[in-house]
Amino acid sequence: MLLEISQWLANDIRAFAVIQYITLRAVLAALTALAVGLIFGPLVIRKLAQMKIGQAVRADGPQTHLTKSGTPTMGGALILISVACSTLLWGDLSNRFIWIVLIVTMGFGLVGWVDDYRKVVHRNPKGMSAREKYLWQTLIGLVAAVYLAFSVPAESNANAIELFTRWIGSGFRAELPARADLIVPFLKDVAYPLGVFGFIVLSYLVIVGTSNAVNLTDGADGLAIMPAVLVAGALGIFAYASGNAVFAKYLLIPNIAGAGELTVFCGAIVGAGLAFLWFNAYPAQVFMGDVGALALGGALGTVAVVVRQEIVLFIMGGVFVVETLSVMLQVSYFKYTKRRFGVGRRIFRMAPLHHHFEVGGVKESQVVVRFWIVTMVLVLFGLSTLKLR
C-alpha cells in the first residue's frame, strides 16, 4: 500500500523513491510489526484473560509447568495481526508470492484458532480431531504446493498459466524449468529435477511438516518463537538474494523472479516475533497456541519452497526437526514395545525433547536459551551455504 503511494509521490518529491528499495521496506516492516505487537500486546492479553482463554496444562507433564495453568493462550493472533498489517503496508501488493504466503499463513492460523478455541472455550481437551486438523492442513498445503509448482519457475502469473497449460497439453509429462529443481547445499552443480508431481509432493511435505514441527516445539516459554524469528531472518536473506539476478548468479542459486519481495514478509515475521517474545519470555504472560505455531511453521515452509531452500530449512530449523523426531520415536517405540512385550517403554523421559531435559532437572529457562543457541549456530551454518559450494 505505502509502496504504491510512495511511487506516486516520487514523481514530485524524489526523496520518496527510497521506499522502493526492498531492504529499507524490510526494515520498516520489521519495525512496524514490532510496534504493533508491543502496543497492542497488553490489550490482547487483557482481552484473552477477560474471555478466560487460559492454557490447560497436562497433568502428566513437567511439574514445574503446573503453575502455568490459566495463562492466556491463543496469543499467536497478535503475531498474525502484526505480520498481516506490516506486510500489507510495506509489501508490493502486486507480487504473487506475497499473497500466497499470506494466504498460507492465515489459513494455518485459522485452523489453529479453531483448534485452540475448542480446547479453551468449549472445554474440549482434544480440540479438533487429528483427522479434521490434518484434512484442513492438507487442503491448504496442496493448494499452495500446486500453485507454487508453476509459479516459482515462472517469470509472471501469465507465464505460470502458460507452464500449466503446456503441462496439461503434454499429458502431464512436461518438465519444469531448472529453477524448480531441488538444490543440494554445499555442492556447486548438484540439483535434482523433481517434475511437477515431485515438486508438489515435496512442497506439501515441507509446508505441512514445518507447520506441525513448530507446533510441537511450542511447549516452553519463548522456545518456539525465537528459532522462528532466526530462521525467518535467514530466509529473508535467501529471498533477497534469489530475487536479485546479479546476486543469484554470483551465489549460484536460482533466480526466482519476485522472490525478493518476501524479504519484507520475513522482516514482518521477525518484528512480530520479537514483540511476542517480549510477553512470552519466561515467565510467560501469554502463550502462542496453535493459532501462532501452525501459522509460523506454514509461513517458513512456504518461503523456503519459493526460494528453493528446502534442505537448508531442514538444517536451520534443526531444533524443530529434532523435537518432531523425538515425538515420532517416542510414540513408535512405545507402541512397538507394548505390542511386543505387553508393556510400553520409552526412549526419552518425556517427549518432545525439551520436556526430556526438564524432567531430568534442567531449568526451563536454561533449556530454552540453549535451544536458541543451537538454532543460532544452525542458522549461521545454513547461511554459509550461500557461498560455500
Side-chain angles (χ1 to χ4, degrees):
M1 182 187 301
L2 294 181
L3 174 62
E4 286 74 14
I5 295 174
S6 68
Q7 289 173 339
W8 175 68
L9 292 174
N11 294 325
D12 299 312
I13 307 174
R14 292 290 298 169
F16 283 100
V18 72
I19 302 296
Q20 298 179 37
Y21 290 100
I22 291 175
T23 48
L24 175 61
R25 285 189 287 115
V27 172
L28 292 174
L31 293 175
T32 301
L34 178 65
V36 170
L38 291 177
I39 292 171
F40 291 99
L43 176 63
V44 170
I45 294 172
R46 282 198 303 271
K47 188 65 176 177
L48 291 172
Q50 289 171 3
M51 296 172 65
K52 297 183 179 180
I53 299 180
Q55 178 70 34
V57 178
R58 42 189 283 207
D60 60 341
Q63 295 301 300
T64 54
H65 284 215
L66 295 178
T67 57
K68 300 182 181 184
S69 181
T71 301
T73 187
M74 298 175 71
L78 178 64
I79 300 175
L80 297 188
I81 293 170
S82 301
V83 169
C85 290
S86 184
T87 302
L88 292 174
L89 279 174
W90 297 109
D92 181 359
L93 302 186
S94 66
N95 184 280
R96 62 192 191 277
F97 295 129
I98 284 291
W99 287 109
I100 189 62
V101 295
L102 280 176
I103 290 171
V104 171
T105 303
M106 298 305 157
F108 277 105
L110 181 59
V111 174
W113 174 273
V114 174
D115 187 35
D116 286 337
Y117 193 82
R118 290 183 184 177
K119 288 177 183 176
V120 299
V121 176
H122 292 174
R123 304 302 177 186
N124 180 357
K126 293 184 178 180
M128 295 176 73
S129 67
R131 181 175 298 180
E132 181 185 7
K133 193 174 183 180
Y134 188 66
L135 172 64
W136 286 109
Q137 287 181 302
T138 295
L139 180 61
I140 298 169
L142 279 179
V143 169
V146 171
Y147 174 80
L148 293 175
F150 301 99
S151 183
V152 167
E155 298 291 335
S156 63
N157 279 330
N159 187 215
I161 295 173
E162 181 184 338
L163 287 175
F164 177 73
T165 53
R166 187 198 312 164
W167 179 65
I168 296 293
S170 68
F172 310 110
R173 289 193 298 270
E175 294 296 322
L176 293 173
R179 286 191 294 271
D181 292 352
L182 176 63
I183 306 299
V184 180
F186 298 113
L187 301 177
K188 183 183 296 185
D189 300 315
V190 178
Y192 295 99
L194 296 170
V196 174
F197 289 112
F199 187 103
I200 291 173
V201 171
L202 177 64
S203 299
Y204 163 78
L205 292 175
V206 170
I207 294 171
V208 176
T210 308
S211 176
N212 286 307
V214 174
N215 193 33
L216 286 172
T217 305
D218 183 34
D221 297 352
L223 179 58
I225 189 61
M226 192 60 183
V229 165
L230 293 170
V231 174
L235 285 175
I237 295 174
F238 278 101
Y240 183 75
S242 295
N244 187 296
V246 176
F247 289 165
K249 182 178 180 181
Y250 174 70
L251 296 170
L252 302 176
I253 59 177
N255 175 218
I256 310 298
E261 199 63 30
L262 291 181
T263 309
V264 177
F265 176 76
C266 290
I269 291 181
V270 170
L274 290 176
F276 181 76
L277 181 60
W278 184 273
F279 306 104
N280 186 235
Y282 181 85
Q285 298 174 252
V286 65
F287 296 138
M288 188 188 306
D290 287 10
V291 59
L294 291 179
L296 283 175
L300 296 177
T302 305
V303 174
V305 169
V306 173
V307 300
R308 312 306 307 125
Q309 298 297 333
E310 297 93 341
I311 296 179
V312 172
L313 173 64
F314 186 86
I315 294 171
M316 297 192 298
V319 165
F320 302 138
V321 174
V322 171
E323 291 273 72
T324 304
L325 288 177
S326 69
V327 173
M328 295 171 65
L329 288 172
Q330 185 88 319
V331 172
S332 299
Y333 187 69
F334 186 87
K335 289 182 177 179
Y336 168 75
T337 53
K338 188 173 184 178
R339 186 173 60 251
R340 181 74 181 274
F341 306 108
V343 179
R345 300 174 183 174
R346 294 175 172 81
I347 300 173
F348 306 102
R349 300 184 186 96
M350 185 177 292
L353 188 61
H354 59 269
H355 286 330
H356 168 80
F357 293 113
E358 288 184 78
V359 174
V362 183
K363 292 182 179 179
E364 179 183 351
S365 57
Q366 289 180 309
V367 174
V368 170
V369 173
R370 288 170 183 173
F371 275 42
W372 288 358
I373 294 171
V374 170
T375 301
M376 290 176 192
V377 174
L378 293 176
V379 165
L380 291 174
F381 186 63
L383 286 172
S384 70
T385 64
L386 276 170
K387 190 56 184 171
L388 297 179
R389 295 179 181 273

